[in-house]
Amino acid sequence: MRTTLDLDDKLMRSVKRHAAETGQTVTRVIESALREALARERERRKRSFKLEWVTVRGRLVPGVDLTDRDSLYERMEGRS
């Protein structure tokens, strides 16, 4: 696919220099760099945080009314 990009002059000079040194075309150098960057990004996303659920057996605490939201909040915050 043919497309137009506006690249920083210094970056383009580096790309052209690298292409000449390695015997590749500018297009090949840019394609390769983009593929590497996208692959790294995919890998980074795969390694991102995963929540692992831990379940434990609980028990009902005496004197806690599960139907009273305010008293539950007070109990959880240690105010009662």
Side-chain angles (χ1 to χ4, degrees):
M1 172 185 287
R2 188 173 193 83
T3 191
T4 301
L5 298 171
D6 291 320
L7 301 175
D8 177 74
D9 290 341
K10 188 175 179 180
L11 175 62
M12 193 60 196
R13 282 192 297 273
S14 294
V15 169
K16 287 180 179 181
R17 186 177 321 112
H18 181 76
E21 290 171 355
T22 60
Q24 299 179 67
T25 65
V26 168
T27 298
R28 182 72 60 207
V29 170
I30 293 172
E31 284 177 344
S32 177
L34 283 172
R35 282 189 182 99
E36 278 185 41
L38 293 172
R40 277 195 311 271
E41 180 64 21
R42 279 191 298 273
E43 270 304 308
R44 188 189 64 77
R45 286 185 189 155
K46 284 181 186 177
R47 291 189 313 257
S48 66
F49 177 78
K50 290 185 181 179
L51 179 63
E52 293 185 22
W53 291 97
V54 176
T55 57
V56 295
R57 261 187 119 62
R59 62 177 173 79
L60 186 58
V61 177
V64 174
D65 181 3
L66 296 178
T67 62
D68 184 355
R69 180 190 67 190
D70 293 330
S71 69
L72 282 172
Y73 285 149
E74 286 179 15
R75 177 70 76 136
M76 289 187 304
E77 293 174 0
R79 292 185 284 177
S80 64

